[in-house]
Amino acid sequence: MNLLILGGTRFLGRALAEAALDRGHTLTLFHRGRHSQDAFPEAEHIVGDRENELELLRGRTWDAVIDTCGFVPRVVRASVELLKDRVEHYTFISSVSVYENLKRLQVKEDAPVAILSDESTEDVTQHYGALKALCEKTIEAAMPGRALHIRPGLIVGPHDYSDRFTYWPHRIAQGGEVLVPPKEGRVQVIDVRDLAAWIIDLVEKQTVGTFYASGSDYTMEQLVDVCALLSSRPTKFTWVTEPFLREQQVGE
C-alpha cells in the first residue's frame, strides 16, 4: 500500500512507520521535523505544520492515511477535508480518555463519550478526551464508512517520552524505599510495537469502526513486584493511599 502518516517520528507514529516499512509498504511521513529527523531514510519526508502547511499534501493521493497527532477538531477537520478525496481510508489515533466515565470497569466501544459544553474550545489540557471524541465525530462526518478510530489506553515501549510507565522499573532498579500507590490499583498497558502491528493489520484490511485498544491487566502490586525481581538492589515498598497522594499533589 501507499501510506501517509501524519506524524510518524516520535512514539506510536514511529512504531507505525517501522511496522509499515517492515511489510514493504510505500510510506510518506508528514511531520514538523522536530523529532528523529534522520529516522526512516527509505520513506518520503514532507516537513510542515499541519495547522498551516497542509497545502504541501495537495495534488497527491495515497491508499490510506494514519493520523497520529490530531487533538483539535478544527485542525483535524482541515486535514480530513483535504484528504477525503485523496485517500480511501482514514485511521485516527484517538484515546481511551474519550469516555465520559473513566472510572467505569469493562468499558466497551459503545460507552458514552465526553461531550463539550463549548465546542469552540481548544484547551487540550482541560478537555483532552472530549476534544478527541469530537475529532472522531468530525472525521466520521467527512468520510462516513471509511474511517477507523483507535482508542488506546496506556502505551509503553521504545521511545516512550512520557515516563508514566518507565518511572517504575527505573526507580525500583535504584533500590531503597519506594513510595507506591495502593497495591490493589489496576494497571493496563499495551506495548507500542504490538499496537502498531495490529493497526497496520486493520489498515491493510481497510477495517472501519471504533476499537478500544489495551493489553494485559495487572495490579500495582504485581507490577512493582516484577520490577523488583529484575532489580539487583534491595527495595522496600511503602504503600500509601490515593487521598494521601492527592494531598501531596502527586501527579498534578
Side-chain angles (χ1 to χ4, degrees):
M1 298 179 73
N2 186 14
L3 302 178
L4 168 66
I5 296 181
L6 304 182
T9 60
R10 199 172 190 191
F11 184 34
L12 175 56
R14 184 175 182 134
L16 287 164
E18 290 175 349
L21 290 170
D22 284 347
R23 300 191 192 187
H25 297 306
T26 300
L27 184 62
T28 301
L29 302 174
F30 179 54
H31 58 93
R32 294 176 295 180
R34 297 183 180 180
H35 308 284
S36 306
Q37 296 185 45
D38 58 344
F40 313 119
E42 63 272 54
E44 177 187 8
H45 292 250
I46 302 177
V47 178
D49 190 324
R50 65 184 295 178
E51 286 212 37
N52 49 43
E53 295 180 292
L54 281 175
E55 289 298 315
L56 294 171
L57 302 179
R58 192 172 295 279
R60 301 282 301 276
T61 60
W62 293 269
D63 295 314
V65 57
I66 306 175
D67 186 345
T68 71
C69 54
F71 304 98
V72 176
R74 170 182 57 84
V75 177
V76 170
R77 183 178 296 109
S79 302
V80 72
E81 287 294 334
L82 183 140
L83 292 169
K84 66 181 182 181
D85 296 324
R86 304 178 185 280
V87 299
E88 295 297 323
H89 187 265
Y90 199 111
T91 297
F92 179 64
I93 306 302
S94 186
S95 169
V96 67
S97 297
V98 301
Y99 294 111
E100 181 182 59
N101 184 358
L102 295 177
K103 293 184 178 180
R104 177 182 170 187
L105 299 178
Q106 303 298 327
V107 173
K108 295 184 179 180
E109 285 82 354
D110 59 355
V113 298
I115 298 174
L116 289 167
S117 57
D118 176 13
E119 292 192 355
S120 67
T121 183
E122 295 188 356
D123 188 340
V124 177
T125 301
Q126 292 296 320
H127 303 291
Y128 173 77
L131 286 169
K132 278 285 194 179
L134 194 52
C135 288
E136 291 182 13
K137 184 178 178 181
T138 299
I139 294 168
E140 200 61 45
M143 296 181 62
R146 292 193 287 148
L148 169 66
H149 307 286
I150 304 296
R151 296 173 176 171
L154 178 58
I155 308 172
V156 303
H159 305 288
D160 179 5
Y161 56 89
S162 72
D163 203 32
R164 292 180 296 174
F165 177 83
T166 49
Y167 168 82
W168 295 108
H170 178 73
R171 172 62 187 88
I172 292 169
Q174 297 174 51
E177 184 178 13
V178 180
L179 195 71
V180 188
K183 60 177 65 178
E184 68 276 6
R186 311 301 297 186
V187 180
Q188 222 177 350
V189 300
I190 187 166
D191 190 289
V192 68
R193 294 158 293 190
D194 294 334
L195 178 59
W198 176 66
I199 291 172
I200 296 298
D201 282 342
L202 298 180
V203 173
E204 290 172 343
K205 299 171 184 175
Q206 294 195 328
T207 305
V208 298
T210 301
F211 295 86
Y212 168 65
S214 194
S216 301
D217 182 20
Y218 308 94
T219 63
M220 198 67 205
E221 184 176 31
Q222 289 172 321
L223 172 63
V224 297
D225 281 349
V226 170
C227 292
L229 285 173
L230 298 174
S231 173
S232 59
R233 297 184 180 181
T235 303
K236 175 188 175 185
F237 295 131
T238 297
W239 301 93
V240 295
T241 65
E242 287 189 9
F244 173 83
L245 294 172
R246 286 194 292 269
E247 289 171 7
Q248 305 303 314
Q249 297 183 334
V250 173
E252 294 184 2

